[in-house]
Amino acid sequence: MNYMPGTASLIQDIDKKHLVLLRDGRTLIGYLRSIDQFANLVLHQTVERIHVGRKYGDIPRGIFVVRGENVVLLGEIDLERESDTPLQQVSIEEILEEQRVELQAKQESEKLKAKALKERGLSVPRADTLDEY
Amino acid sequence: QSLEDCPLDEDEDAFQALGEEDEDIDQFNDDTFGAGAVDDDWQEAHERLAELEDKGVPGRDADGPMENDGDVLGDPEDALAERLTRLVIDSELEDPAIMQAVHTSGHAQPGALNSSIWDSSAVLRRIRGPLLAQEMPSVSVLDYALPQRPPQAREEERDPSERVLPRRSSSPIIGSPPVRAVPIGTPPKQAAIPNFNQQILCPKPVHIRAPLQQRYPAPYGERMSPNQLCNVPNSSLLGHPFPHSVSPVLTHLQRAQLLGGAQVQPLPAGRMSPSQFARVSGLVGSPLPSVNPKLLQGRVGQMMPPAGGFRAFFGAPPPSQLPHPPGPGSHLQSLRPQMFRPDTTHLHPQHRRLLHQRQQQNRSQHRSLNGSGGDRGGHRSSHQEQIRKDPYANLMLQREKDWVSKIQMMQLQSTDPYLDDYYYQNYFQKLEKLAAAEEVHGDGPKKERTKLITPQVAKLEHTYKPVQFEGSLGKLTVSSVNNPRKMIDAVVTSRSEDDETKEKQVRDKRRQTLVTIEKTYSLLLDVEDYERRYLLSLEGERPALMGERKQKICDMYDNLRGKAPGQDRLSDDHFMQIMCIRKGKRLVARIVPFLAPEQAADVLMATARNLPFLIKKDAQDEVLPCLLRPFSHVLYHLPLGTVTSLVQQLTNLPQSAAAPTNPHLTAVLQNKFGLSLLYLVLSRGEELQSSDTNAELIHDNQWTELMLMATRELLRIPQGALAKPVSIPSNLISLFSRYVDQQKLNLLETKL
């Protein structure tokens, strides 16, 4: 029963398996053990899942304490349907390799783009420089 | 009396007491004990305490020296506190920001086991004199935020050298009072069940202890475990010089709790090892017949240390409930409704019932918990056993969950829900309407929908007065969120008219107009809101509300027209200023529906009179058409005379014969708004003509003449110059048909 109908609260989610997306892009999956009023989370038996294309790899991480402000979203995982995924699980080494490759490809395409723009006299301000202002 | 002096006095008191015990100390040695030792000479103070310790260790009995020492050490702080009390004018440290900051800073390592606890009997020394007689300050603000204080605070006191420092620097008034409370972010370590339920049901920022007095004969199961006892807020275990000025309260409940807690512990005196302590908790079942205050102190003191570190042994709150499950349980249950009733009256019955159920559930869970360390989630209520057993479940205790939801509930408190959470309120109103509609139509079973009812707190105006000392010059420089430091004393100097240039004057005038518009807007928003307030209010209040509303409408009108007392409103100037500004036009459009017919007509006239000017000014904004709808509503109520004069104004007819052109009319006709307005007015006139056959002759003539002239003008103007009106009223043709012949009528038709 919802303790407080009409409100959103993580209390009902405790001790359930969750998928948490963090601001830095990491995806954590773990059992939500504890919360507080800032939505700081304590995740138990946490696994960091890296997705590249259709593949994913899990890195076991243990216990995570996540500061609430860094959470983008989180959702409960239905244990029965958890394995119902079209994605393919691979080993950690493989997924890390895939990730590296993907990152490299992305960087190269960014470089090409920047070069093309430069040739046309335009420049895209980099995200980190924007922060200064 | 400055603060510098206090420790001096303290020291003297302390050392006179010491002197009684040990003749070797030279009481008159100024360097050691007198003025020379005053300024923060912590080394000396430390040595003194070490001496005490040395004396204390051999063959110490729980009672005598302990009490003495307690007095010795407790009293100076008391004395200091008392002195400070007298000094402080505004005794209540009302600024929650300071208080919380204070309590947040640097509390010692929670749960860390300081071996000195066991090595020295410093623990015992901390115990104050008469336990109950002593009034400990209770902080109402803290009650609001947290029900109780944690054990961590106690651990600070055990380190003697650490203890010495705060004496001077931790004046509770200035800046940083000693930390004795849990930081606002952490949940209380123990179940403040009675207190807490109170709060979750009716969180309010006032003392809520009074209703709890009925729980004074607390059942055995309700007595707090060692954990909990340490956290009783006004426990006199606190050795800090918190000023008594902060509302000292030690209610029946707390005394009961203290006593109850004390009774939980068996009698062994002296130091206890951790393992002993764990065993002690096991022995919890034996109730103690007598409560000797001194023994109580000893007990309480010994109970302090494990609060942090030994939580694992205790598991969830009172394992002490184990030996007597049915007893306290039933007692609890019988007490529950009692506790509920006064405070949950505002809750939905479903909500209350569910809370009740939940508590019973929890109680049954707690009861079934064994005292062993790690296994917290071993037993669950029957329906939950279907779920796979998760050994790590319930790491977050129910009381912690309750604590979080309590905070969430507190955040929902509001003095004006419509102001704070407009969209939520509206959304739920809509839902309810839907549900009500469904129930009316459908025959289905009425679903009892649980509704979250948030307590509405009365608006309390707390004017924060910064702390002051009697007889001191100037104020303290403590600043906080609620009392920010004043950076600059800015003084407003108004400039004289002569100095300003014309441009500045113009600018200022515009600014003043903008200010007027803003003021009128807030009036308007209030007026628009009255309907809702009317529905929500009681019968008796309604006339007052209506009166207020009327007054505000008048004010708005005055603002629009430029109220000047005793002056005939000859000039449209003020109104024109407002109308030149886009926001002003929209404002007028929204106000007009609320105005009385004469006032609205007045506005309309003013607009018509100055229409070319307005049109010119509106060229960029093109906001004038927004006025059409309210104006058309106004027109429906106007009598013919007014309409006639309106047409006159609009068309600027009759004109003197010499004028070849009618720029006024031209401008009007060439503007969308102007033309549409003209049509509206004409159509209204026509309506009146056709409906009322007994129209007054005078007006009839005027009207006819006007129409003749108007049609002549209309004919004159080339079609291309005419603007596209918003809408063409249907009866215009019939209007014109009265005054012109067929040929011209056709011409007109094509033009239109």
Side-chain angles (χ1 to χ4, degrees):
Chain A
M1 177 263 164
N2 189 0
Y3 218 109
M4 299 181 286
T7 61
S9 171
L10 286 172
I11 292 174
Q12 303 299 316
D13 287 3
I14 283 182
D15 292 335
K16 296 188 181 144
K17 197 167 188 186
H18 279 72
L19 183 145
V20 180
L21 186 62
L22 301 180
R23 267 165 55 173
D24 63 357
R26 276 188 280 185
T27 308
L28 301 178
I29 295 176
Y31 288 90
L32 184 62
R33 291 299 175 197
S34 188
I35 57 158
D36 70 357
Q37 69 269 35
F38 308 110
N40 294 336
L41 315 170
V42 172
L43 294 170
H44 181 229
Q45 291 169 353
T46 317
V47 144
E48 182 182 335
R49 185 162 289 187
I50 301 178
H51 288 272
V52 178
R54 287 256 148 204
K55 301 187 187 160
Y56 71 89
D58 284 346
I59 307 174
R61 295 286 195 191
I63 300 178
F64 257 84
V65 173
V66 183
R67 189 180 166 93
E69 63 171 336
N70 294 306
V71 174
V72 171
L73 55 85
L74 67 98
E76 189 186 337
I77 290 179
D78 187 342
L79 295 165
E80 286 150 33
R81 297 170 50 178
E82 197 183 356
S83 32
D84 247 10
T85 164
L87 306 173
Q88 176 205 358
Q89 179 162 21
V90 297
S91 70
I92 298 176
E93 295 81 24
E94 196 180 328
I95 198 70
L96 285 171
E97 177 62 28
E98 295 264 349
Q99 197 184 35
R100 194 188 59 79
V101 165
E102 186 193 44
L103 188 66
Q104 218 167 13
K106 197 162 160 199
Q107 277 175 343
E108 293 211 7
S109 73
E110 284 285 322
K111 241 189 274 184
L112 285 174
K113 253 196 268 183
K115 188 159 165 248
L117 284 171
K118 203 164 135 188
E119 283 166 13
R120 286 158 179 75
L122 305 163
S123 69
V124 180
R126 285 179 19 218
D128 43 304
T129 55
L130 283 175
D131 288 345
E132 291 166 18
Y133 307 95
Chain B
Q1 196 179 7
S2 77
L3 226 61
E4 312 289 319
D5 292 332
C6 297
L8 171 60
D9 294 343
E10 265 181 76
D11 293 347
E12 285 176 353
D13 283 350
F15 298 107
Q16 271 162 17
L18 265 182
E20 291 159 21
E21 291 187 75
D22 189 347
E23 306 301 325
D24 296 338
I25 295 173
D26 180 4
Q27 301 176 32
F28 304 110
N29 183 347
D30 270 346
D31 283 333
T32 315
F33 300 118
V38 165
D39 277 20
D40 247 348
D41 199 352
W42 63 271
Q43 279 167 326
E44 294 289 341
H46 179 90
E47 274 170 59
R48 280 177 242 133
L49 281 167
E51 283 166 31
L52 268 180
E53 206 177 284
D54 289 339
K55 263 176 254 120
V57 160
R60 224 202 191 156
D61 186 357
D63 298 349
M66 177 183 74
E67 190 187 342
N68 241 352
D69 291 341
D71 284 338
V72 160
L73 296 174
D75 278 347
E77 300 202 336
D78 273 346
L80 168 62
E82 275 175 74
R83 248 172 261 127
L84 286 174
T85 317
R86 278 178 244 131
L87 292 174
V88 174
I89 296 173
D90 190 2
S91 47
E92 290 245 334
L93 196 66
E94 286 173 337
D95 188 349
I98 292 183
M99 292 257 287
Q100 288 172 6
V102 153
H103 291 107
T104 315
S105 59
H107 65 93
Q109 339 83 12
L113 297 176
N114 190 354
S115 62
S116 64
I117 296 168
W118 308 116
D119 298 338
S120 73
S121 52
V123 161
L124 303 175
R125 254 183 287 128
R126 294 292 170 276
I127 311 311
R128 310 291 222 107
L131 180 69
L132 300 178
Q134 187 155 16
E135 286 193 324
M136 285 307 298
S138 97
V139 183
S140 58
V141 170
L142 278 187
D143 272 341
Y144 179 51
L146 294 166
Q148 315 213 331
R149 294 186 202 159
Q152 292 94 332
R154 276 72 178 167
E155 300 194 349
E156 275 183 334
E157 300 170 67
R158 271 156 240 136
D159 190 1
S161 56
E162 200 188 30
R163 186 180 176 276
V164 178
L165 259 182
R167 280 228 245 134
R168 268 199 56 220
S169 57
S170 67
S171 155
I173 313 304
I174 302 175
S176 56
V179 176
R180 295 294 174 228
V182 74
I184 198 75
T186 54
K189 284 201 168 223
Q190 66 305 320
I193 292 180
N195 220 7
F196 167 68
N197 278 331
Q198 208 65 3
Q199 288 193 340
I200 196 177
L201 299 178
C202 55
K204 52 188 186 226
V206 294
H207 272 292
I208 55 170
R209 292 212 191 94
L212 291 180
Q213 284 181 18
Q214 58 192 302
R215 306 202 74 246
Y216 177 70
Y220 182 73
E222 285 294 312
R223 291 200 191 108
M224 314 230 279
S225 71
N227 265 350
Q228 297 167 343
L229 191 65
C230 304
N231 302 323
V232 168
N234 291 341
S235 164
S236 59
L237 300 174
L238 296 172
H240 65 83
F242 214 92
H244 295 191
S245 52
V246 187
S247 321
V249 172
L250 190 64
T251 64
H252 294 310
L253 174 65
Q254 287 156 341
R255 287 185 188 134
Q257 288 170 347
L258 282 169
L259 287 172
Q263 288 179 11
V264 158
Q265 298 308 311
L267 281 177
R271 294 172 249 145
M272 293 172 61
S273 69
S275 55
Q276 263 189 347
F277 208 82
R279 272 185 277 126
V280 161
S281 70
L283 293 176
V284 137
S286 57
L288 296 173
S290 66
V291 182
N292 187 341
K294 292 187 187 155
L295 291 177
L296 171 61
Q297 295 165 29
R299 221 62 65 265
V300 158
Q302 286 158 22
M303 279 194 300
M304 289 197 296
F310 291 98
R311 207 166 147 225
F313 285 93
F314 304 144
S320 56
Q321 283 188 6
L322 267 178
H324 300 268
S330 57
H331 197 156
L332 273 174
Q333 282 181 16
S334 63
L335 276 177
R336 286 284 174 213
Q338 241 179 320
M339 207 180 62
F340 266 5
R341 241 171 264 133
D343 304 295
T344 60
T345 45
H346 65 275
L347 279 187
H348 196 281
Q350 180 89 334
H351 190 170
R352 198 193 308 166
R353 222 182 305 140
L354 284 157
L355 271 170
H356 189 68
Q357 272 173 25
R358 186 171 266 257
Q359 260 134 18
Q360 285 179 330
Q361 216 178 50
N362 293 338
R363 247 174 284 123
S364 64
Q365 274 187 18
H366 292 321
R367 242 176 269 136
S368 59
L369 275 171
N370 53 26
S372 67
D375 182 9
R376 294 167 187 276
H379 300 274
R380 291 168 172 260
S381 358
S382 52
H383 71 275
Q384 282 176 326
E385 266 164 14
Q386 299 155 22
I387 305 168
R388 219 178 351 155
K389 289 202 178 153
D390 182 0
Y392 291 93
N394 285 347
L395 270 170
M396 190 174 185
L397 306 171
Q398 186 54 41
R399 60 165 179 256
E400 287 161 357
K401 294 185 197 175
D402 292 340
W403 181 84
V404 173
S405 59
K406 180 188 77 157
I407 291 183
Q408 291 180 318
M409 287 293 280
M410 278 192 330
Q411 291 170 339
L412 295 178
Q413 283 180 53
S414 132
T415 54
D416 184 1
Y418 266 90
L419 190 68
D420 294 331
D421 210 350
Y422 174 76
Y423 294 102
Y424 176 89
Q425 300 291 333
N426 270 34
Y427 173 65
F428 269 86
Q429 274 183 353
K430 264 193 262 178
L431 276 185
E432 276 172 29
K433 275 191 207 147
L434 272 174
E438 269 173 39
E439 275 172 28
V440 165
H441 294 313
D443 260 339
K446 276 196 177 172
K447 274 190 292 176
E448 199 180 340
R449 219 167 264 203
T450 50
K451 194 175 133 173
L452 180 68
I453 300 174
T454 51
Q456 293 195 293
V457 187
K459 212 180 267 191
L460 295 167
E461 283 294 326
H462 290 288
T463 49
Y464 170 70
K465 262 179 49 189
V467 166
Q468 292 168 322
F469 279 113
E470 221 174 52
S472 68
L473 294 170
K475 297 195 174 124
L476 294 170
T477 53
V478 167
S479 70
S480 73
V481 150
N482 299 325
N483 176 39
R485 209 191 300 269
K486 218 170 159 186
M487 295 299 288
I488 306 171
D489 275 320
V491 178
V492 178
T493 50
S494 53
R495 291 171 295 173
S496 65
E497 294 283 327
D498 311 334
D499 300 342
E500 294 174 5
T501 64
K502 186 154 190 306
E503 283 160 15
K504 277 191 193 168
Q505 280 178 341
V506 164
R507 199 185 347 132
D508 283 346
K509 196 167 187 191
R510 190 183 165 87
R511 281 183 188 166
Q512 273 190 338
T513 318
L514 289 172
V515 168
T516 314
I517 290 178
E518 290 307 319
K519 282 196 211 145
T520 319
Y521 240 110
S522 8
L523 285 172
L524 174 67
L525 290 173
D526 274 340
V527 168
E528 282 178 352
D529 207 32
Y530 268 103
E531 193 186 315
R532 178 187 65 78
R533 282 175 65 186
Y534 197 81
L535 292 170
L536 292 175
S537 67
L538 309 166
E539 279 304 320
E541 297 171 355
R542 289 187 181 182
L545 280 178
M546 289 312 286
E548 273 176 38
R549 183 173 178 271
K550 276 209 183 75
Q551 180 55 39
K552 291 207 172 152
I553 295 177
C554 284
D555 289 338
M556 286 199 294
Y557 180 67
D558 289 336
N559 280 353
L560 273 186
R561 294 297 265 134
K563 171 175 69 168
Q567 188 195 59
D568 225 355
R569 288 205 194 89
L570 293 174
S571 93
D572 289 336
D573 198 35
H574 193 98
F575 182 65
M576 281 304 113
Q577 289 291 323
I578 293 178
M579 288 293 272
C580 287
I581 299 170
R582 191 184 335 161
K583 194 166 183 182
K585 287 183 265 230
R586 288 207 214 269
L587 176 68
V588 170
R590 278 173 80 167
I591 288 183
V592 163
F594 290 104
L595 293 175
E598 310 82 41
Q599 293 174 328
D602 196 22
V603 168
L604 196 46
M605 285 290 218
T607 318
R609 246 197 307 274
N610 301 285
L611 201 47
F613 177 69
L614 286 176
I615 287 170
K616 193 175 65 169
K617 287 282 176 177
D618 193 46
Q620 213 179 22
D621 299 329
E622 297 188 17
V623 158
L624 276 174
C626 76
L627 289 163
L628 274 174
R629 184 186 286 272
F631 279 172
S632 64
H633 284 299
V634 173
L635 279 169
Y636 289 149
H637 302 289
L638 289 182
L640 185 56
T642 329
V643 174
T644 318
S645 21
L646 257 179
V647 177
Q648 264 180 315
Q649 300 287 346
L650 271 176
T651 57
N652 202 20
L653 299 166
Q655 264 187 313
S656 59
T661 57
N662 188 346
H664 184 119
L665 184 57
T666 320
V668 169
L669 290 173
Q670 283 180 337
N671 175 264
K672 181 166 158 178
F673 171 72
L675 191 57
S676 317
L677 188 60
L678 182 61
Y679 284 168
L680 283 173
V681 178
L682 289 174
S683 102
R684 173 65 182 159
E686 172 61 18
E687 234 180 85
L688 285 169
Q689 284 266 300
S690 52
S691 60
D692 192 6
T693 48
N694 299 335
E696 293 165 24
L697 283 169
I698 313 163
H699 285 137
D700 221 13
N701 284 343
Q702 244 183 346
W703 178 254
T704 320
E705 281 172 37
L706 265 178
M707 281 301 104
L708 285 168
M709 285 190 272
T711 45
R712 216 180 303 138
E713 293 297 328
L714 273 172
L715 285 167
R716 247 210 285 171
I717 287 176
Q719 187 163 355
L722 275 180
K724 261 179 76 89
V726 171
S727 60
I728 302 180
S730 46
N731 52 4
L732 274 182
I733 304 299
S734 54
L735 168 72
F736 291 125
S737 62
R738 286 178 201 236
Y739 306 106
V740 290
D741 56 16
Q742 194 55 37
Q743 191 193 14
K744 290 186 180 151
L745 189 61
N746 292 336
L747 208 57
L748 271 173
E749 257 182 290
T750 53
K751 275 197 179 165
L752 296 170

